[in-house]
Amino acid sequence: MFESKRRAFLLLFVSIALGLIAVVLFSTYMQETKESMGELVMVQVAGNNIPAGQLITEDLLTEEQIPRKYMLESLIQSPAELVGKVSMVPIAKGAVITSVMLRDNSLVSGEYRQVMLRAPMSVFDDQIDAYDAVDILVSYEQEGGAKEAATDRRTTKVLLKGVTVSSVHKSGDETIAVGVLLKLADTKSLIWALNYGKEVRLLKTGNAKASQEAPKLEGAAAVNTPANPNPTAKPVSSVSTKPTAKPAPTAVAPPKGGQ
C-alpha cells in the first residue's frame, strides 16, 4: 500500500514538473515571437461589405492589430480619418482599408446634382460601377392628334451622353439603383423622363475612375475625376421632354415640357 502511494505521488510530481516546463517553454516562445514582431498597432478594416460610392460611417468600421514593421503609409489607424469619405471601389468585409480606396465626399458639389435612377423604371445594361461613364436613353410615347391615332408613336431617344455615375446601390449581385451626376440645368430633362417616360436605360461607355490627386485633363481626352467632376452630360437635341409628332428642335436646352 505504501509503495503504491509513493508511485502515485511520484507520477503527480512528474506531471506537475512537466506542466511547469511546458508553461515556461510556451511563455518563452510567445515572448520571443512578440519581440520578433515588434510593437503592435491598430489599423482600420471593413466591418461590413462596403459598396463603391458608399459614404463611410463608424458602424462600417472595425479594428485589427498588425506589427508596426508592416505598417504602410496608406494604412489608416484612426476612424476619424475615414468617416465622411466615400469608397471608390467595393471593399469586402474584413479587408484592410487604405487611403487609395477612398475619396473626399466632394463629387456632388457646386453646380452638380445627383439624380437617383431606380429599377425597374431604370434598366442598367452591363456592370455599372461608381465613376463609370454612361449614356442615358429614354423610351416614351409621343403625343399626336386624331389624324395620327393609328400611327405608332412609341420612340426611343438618346437623352444625355457621357454622364458620370456617382454611386451604385446593390441587393446581392443585383443593381437596384444608380446615382448620376448632372448639372442642375440638365436634371430637368432626366427627371421629366423618370416621371413621364416608359423606360430609362443606362448604357456604359467607359470608366472615369481616377485618384483625387491626378492632374486635371484638358481637351477632348479629358475624363471625369473626383477632383474635377466634368460629366459631359449634353442633352441631345432630338429628345423632347414633351414629345410631339413634329420633328425635334435643334436646341441643346431641354424642350419646353421639361422646363
Side-chain angles (χ1 to χ4, degrees), residues 86-151:
V86 176
S87 61
M88 293 178 61
V89 296
I91 305 174
K93 181 179 180 180
V96 177
I97 301 176
T98 64
S99 58
V100 296
M101 298 178 178
L102 309 170
R103 63 166 172 81
D104 291 330
N105 186 25
S106 59
L107 189 59
V108 182
S109 62
E111 60 182 332
Y112 295 98
R113 303 292 185 269
Q114 177 175 259
V115 180
M116 293 301 300
L117 306 174
R118 295 179 174 87
M121 169 64 178
S122 301
V123 178
F124 314 115
D125 287 340
D126 205 341
Q127 176 67 37
I128 296 178
D129 298 307
Y131 286 82
D132 281 346
V134 296
D135 292 339
I136 302 178
L137 286 74
V138 57
S139 298
Y140 60 90
E141 186 173 339
Q142 302 180 78
E143 293 181 353
K147 295 181 179 180
E148 301 169 346
T151 304

Side-chain angles (χ1 to χ4, degrees), residues 22-42:
V23 170
V24 171
L25 291 175
F26 180 76
S27 177
T28 302
Y29 169 76
M30 292 300 297
Q31 183 65 29
E32 291 176 352
T33 301
K34 184 178 294 186
E35 290 176 356
S36 65
M37 293 177 63
E39 181 185 358
L40 298 177
V41 294
M42 303 297 296

Side-chain angles (χ1 to χ4, degrees), residues 147-162:
K147 295 181 179 180
E148 301 169 346
T151 304
D152 185 359
R153 297 191 300 271
R154 294 172 298 178
T155 186
T156 297
K157 303 291 184 182
V158 179
L159 185 67
L160 299 166
K161 289 185 176 181

